[in-house]
Amino acid sequence: MRSTSSVRTPARPRRAAARGLAAALALTAVAGCATAVGAEAGPAGPGGRVTVPVKGGTAVIDTASLGVRARPAGGGELELSAPAATDLGRPGPVTAIPGGARWTYPDRGLTVTAVSERGRLKVDVAAGRDGSLRWPVSGAGATDLQLPRGEGLNVPVADPFWNAPERGLTDEPIDLGSGALTMPMWGYTYGKHGVGYLVPTDIGTSLRFASDGGRLRGTATHTFDGGAGTRAYTVTFALTDGDPVAPAVDYRDWLAEHGELGSLRDKIRANPATGRLLGAFHAYLWGDARTERGVAALRGLGVGRMWLGYDAGNDPMGAAAVRAARANGYLVGPYDSFANGQDSATADAPNSVWPDRVYPDFCVTDAQGKPETGFGNRGCYLSSQAFERAEPAKHYLADRTRQMVANGADSYFLDVDAAGDLFRDHSPAHPMTMAQDRANRLARMQRLQDGGLVLGSESAGAWSNRVLSFGHGSATPVAGGLWALERDKEVWGGYAPEKAPRTFFKPVDLPADLAREMYDPRYRLPLYETALHGSVVNAERWELSFDKLPAQKTTRAMLAMLYNVPLNYVLDGPTLKQYGPELAALQRYFAPLHERAGTERLTSFKWLSADRTVQRTVFGDGVLTVTANFGDAPARGVPARCVAARLKGDSADRLLCPDKVLVAPAAR
């Protein structure tokens, strides 16, 4: 939360396989002349096909083009990828290897390995020189696209609304490694079948959608760059049953298989304070709300659990208020950032001021030798590599953290670090690839977590799930039009007055198309929660506080209960007085549900009506079942615009109709 800067726009824009699958592998490489090659290595000639078993059927790769087709066990065929959009040249011979096959494209300097791995088709492409590859080319014949923009979207591929260039979904490449998507995956539904695409080598890979005959198709592009460390490219394909969240199930399984899935239960065992996230709403405090009196007001309303944050401005939360918050069972912590540096003589944010010559010596340097401009075109982005090199002797980050929590805070919100704005630093003093930048950020976030702080960060990209306990932003499917709206200070509000900046407190009506892109429940899909619920507590962006968008409050409250995620507020004295009873009512409904299910995985999501306005989620083995009716008439026993939740062991549903507790917005 930056009280003195403009909101930063993005910098650049399965299930487990049966045991013994590899042992039962039946590999066939078939040449153009139909000469077969068995499991032993040997040439198959150019233009062959490689058949690899996958869970639910087989995958067939045309080595002449890298086209991939699937043959489901129940019959039929579907395209996993059209031929590569890059001219590959004549392929070399196919060689059988354990579990798969290998071949080359000599003209491109590429070596391709295709194997069956835990029920998926896994394709590795290694480059001997710099270049690029546009592949896979996905979506032909599909009905729906699943995309992890924020929490997630399910987009009918032929919907004119989403094919329109105004949506910003087509033509502009989406960098998989930069945070534009919360997870490096996407999926398509083909009737009773589906495909999940996962790119573990997300750095250096982008995904571009095009409206092809009024239907959305996606093409991934990987850039092979030796200097950037991106000469390896991996894509996995999972054949699914067509369930819209199946690609996220596959990704969760992949994370678990590779030791990259965190556990909120483990984090609570390591630091019991983390358990206070369960059942808590989140709020950033301003003015009187960050005083002992403000904390007492929350408790007086009956709010049992909260995460309370405050910016690092001229009036941080005092020790007495922090003690009061902790005594009430709340978590409390500062907003900070290790990513921005400014000249101390002109800096407009205290956390952009660093000792010695951190600024400008630690500035990230671009390929032209110029500093990377920082937040809001102020100062520069600071190199994580420079900090890591200096930390053992200078301990700049450790000293900053001690200073920030000297008031007794037990939590910490570290902006940017998990959002995915990764940099390649060309400075000769601290050169760094994007992969090194990510590794550095993971290391310093882990140190904060290990130091006993309940750590959160912006957006919480999936790669950061092991080192964070919560994130602000990944629940928001940000559309491009939002950034333009936030830059219009007449509409959105600016950074005055200091104790209640209008950018956070002024109610705003989203344009109809933008509201549809972001909050129409017919398009929303809990992909992030399917993959990471039970690992990270996820909330919306701080500048989109629950009260900021009055027309969306009912839908946002229902989505939060359906997905079992907390609401995120911005509070000062007046808003606490006006909206406090509403907040308390919603938190009291949410708390028992999240306390029981917050550490569970999301095991099922279903549409219960043809128009997709009635939806159901299940957490764990039925620990919690939630049915949301976003429609205008009763359905499935749930009144219109209401949510019914049932905890395991309950004899009746717990009903929430947000319209009955919401209050009218105040003018600011």
Side-chain angles (χ1 to χ4, degrees), residues 181-229:
L181 299 181
T182 53
M183 300 177 284
M185 47 74 70
W186 69 101
Y188 278 101
T189 299
Y190 300 80
K192 64 179 181 179
H193 298 296
V195 184
Y197 301 85
L198 167 60
V199 182
T201 53
D202 55 337
I203 295 173
T205 306
S206 63
L207 180 62
R208 177 181 176 272
F209 291 96
S211 181
D212 183 358
R215 304 179 70 85
L216 292 168
R217 298 191 63 182
T219 301
T221 300
H222 185 80
T223 301
F224 301 103
D225 185 330

Side-chain angles (χ1 to χ4, degrees), residues 114-335:
V115 297
S116 178
E117 183 177 89
R118 297 180 183 265
R120 305 177 188 89
L121 168 64
K122 176 173 177 274
V123 179
D124 295 306
V125 185
R129 58 178 181 265
D130 290 354
S132 65
L133 173 64
R134 296 176 62 204
W135 177 88
V137 181
S138 56
T143 57
D144 292 81
L145 162 69
Q146 293 87 41
L147 190 67
R149 179 192 277 182
E151 179 59 66
L153 297 173
N154 185 90
V155 176
V157 298
D159 189 331
F161 177 79
W162 289 100
N163 278 265
E166 293 81 8
R167 302 289 80 75
L169 188 57
T170 59
D171 300 324
E172 289 295 325
I174 303 169
D175 189 339
L176 293 186
S178 73
L181 299 181
T182 53
M183 300 177 284
M185 47 74 70
W186 69 101
Y188 278 101
T189 299
Y190 300 80
K192 64 179 181 179
H193 298 296
V195 184
Y197 301 85
L198 167 60
V199 182
T201 53
D202 55 337
I203 295 173
T205 306
S206 63
L207 180 62
R208 177 181 176 272
F209 291 96
S211 181
D212 183 358
R215 304 179 70 85
L216 292 168
R217 298 191 63 182
T219 301
T221 300
H222 185 80
T223 301
F224 301 103
D225 185 330
T230 60
R231 289 276 186 88
Y233 179 36
T234 298
V235 182
T236 72
F237 303 77
L239 187 61
T240 76
D241 59 3
D243 189 311
V245 297
V249 173
D250 175 63
Y251 183 46
R252 182 186 179 94
D253 289 345
W254 187 93
L255 288 170
E257 293 158 7
H258 291 80
E260 296 184 15
L261 180 63
S263 164
L264 199 55
R265 286 193 180 98
D266 289 346
K267 295 167 188 175
I268 292 170
R269 278 192 287 269
N271 179 9
T274 305
R276 283 182 270 150
L277 286 171
L278 299 178
F281 278 179
H282 295 221
Y284 283 96
L285 305 180
W286 297 78
D288 291 344
R290 61 173 60 170
T291 65
E292 288 180 88
R293 185 169 61 253
V295 172
L298 275 170
R299 189 62 184 172
L301 290 165
V303 178
R305 289 281 178 93
M306 288 292 293
W307 179 91
L308 302 177
Y310 54 92
D311 68 322
N314 297 319
D315 184 27
M317 200 162 178
V322 169
R323 284 195 300 271
R326 295 184 61 173
N328 287 342
Y330 303 160
L331 285 165
V332 59
Y335 154 86

Side-chain angles (χ1 to χ4, degrees), residues 487-498:
R487 286 192 293 266
D488 186 340
K489 298 309 176 187
E490 290 297 317
V491 173
W492 195 260
Y495 283 89
E498 182 180 355

Side-chain angles (χ1 to χ4, degrees), residues 547-604:
D547 297 316
K548 181 72 176 180
L549 308 174
Q552 281 70 49
K553 289 180 73 169
T554 294
T555 296
R556 294 173 79 189
M558 293 174 65
L559 286 168
M561 304 308 160
L562 181 66
Y563 296 167
N564 199 229
V565 299
L567 294 173
N568 203 355
Y569 286 80
V570 173
L571 299 174
D572 67 348
T575 55
L576 183 55
K577 183 177 181 179
Q578 181 179 18
Y579 295 116
E582 169 191 294
L583 182 158
L586 294 172
Q587 193 271 335
R588 283 194 296 270
Y589 181 86
F590 173 76
L593 309 182
H594 196 241
E595 287 169 1
R596 289 275 298 277
T599 56
E600 302 285 344
R601 66 180 295 177
L602 194 161
T603 49
S604 175

Side-chain angles (χ1 to χ4, degrees), residues 348-536:
D348 56 6
N351 59 6
S352 293
V353 177
W354 297 87
D356 304 331
R357 285 185 55 85
V358 167
Y359 179 86
D361 290 359
F362 283 22
C363 290
V364 173
T365 302
D366 65 19
Q368 287 71 46
K370 297 179 180 179
E372 288 276 4
T373 304
F375 302 156
N377 296 316
R378 297 137 51 242
C380 72
Y381 279 98
L382 298 175
S383 169
S384 66
Q385 184 74 357
F387 273 123
E388 285 300 296
R389 289 185 175 186
E391 194 64 10
K394 296 293 187 178
H395 39 79
Y396 293 123
L397 302 183
D399 287 349
R400 163 67 72 83
T401 303
R402 279 192 291 270
Q403 175 188 357
M404 296 289 281
V405 300
N407 60 358
D410 53 1
S411 184
Y412 214 80
F413 183 82
L414 188 61
D415 194 27
V416 178
D417 262 35
D421 290 336
L422 304 174
F423 291 96
R424 181 177 177 186
D425 191 350
H426 294 264
S427 168
H430 36 79
M432 173 181 70
T433 66
M434 288 184 174
Q436 289 172 318
D437 190 10
R438 178 179 287 179
N440 292 337
R441 294 169 187 234
L442 286 170
R444 67 195 192 188
M445 286 190 285
Q446 186 68 65
R447 291 196 295 267
L448 289 171
Q449 188 96 304
D450 291 346
L453 293 169
V454 181
L455 182 64
S457 187
E458 179 185 1
S459 293
W463 53 269
S464 67
N465 82 89
R466 287 176 298 165
V467 301
L468 295 178
S469 294
F470 67 96
H472 292 164
S474 287
T476 307
V478 173
L482 178 66
W483 306 127
L485 189 65
E486 291 188 5
R487 286 192 293 266
D488 186 340
K489 298 309 176 187
E490 290 297 317
V491 173
W492 195 260
Y495 283 89
E498 182 180 355
K499 292 189 176 182
R502 288 171 62 80
T503 188
F504 298 115
F505 289 94
K506 180 186 177 184
V508 170
D509 290 326
L510 290 180
D513 282 355
L514 184 56
R516 186 178 177 186
E517 285 183 76
M518 294 178 61
Y519 293 112
D520 190 325
R522 297 172 299 172
Y523 299 127
R524 292 289 297 266
L525 193 64
L527 295 175
Y528 191 91
E529 296 313 311
T530 298
L532 293 172
H533 198 276
S535 175
V536 178

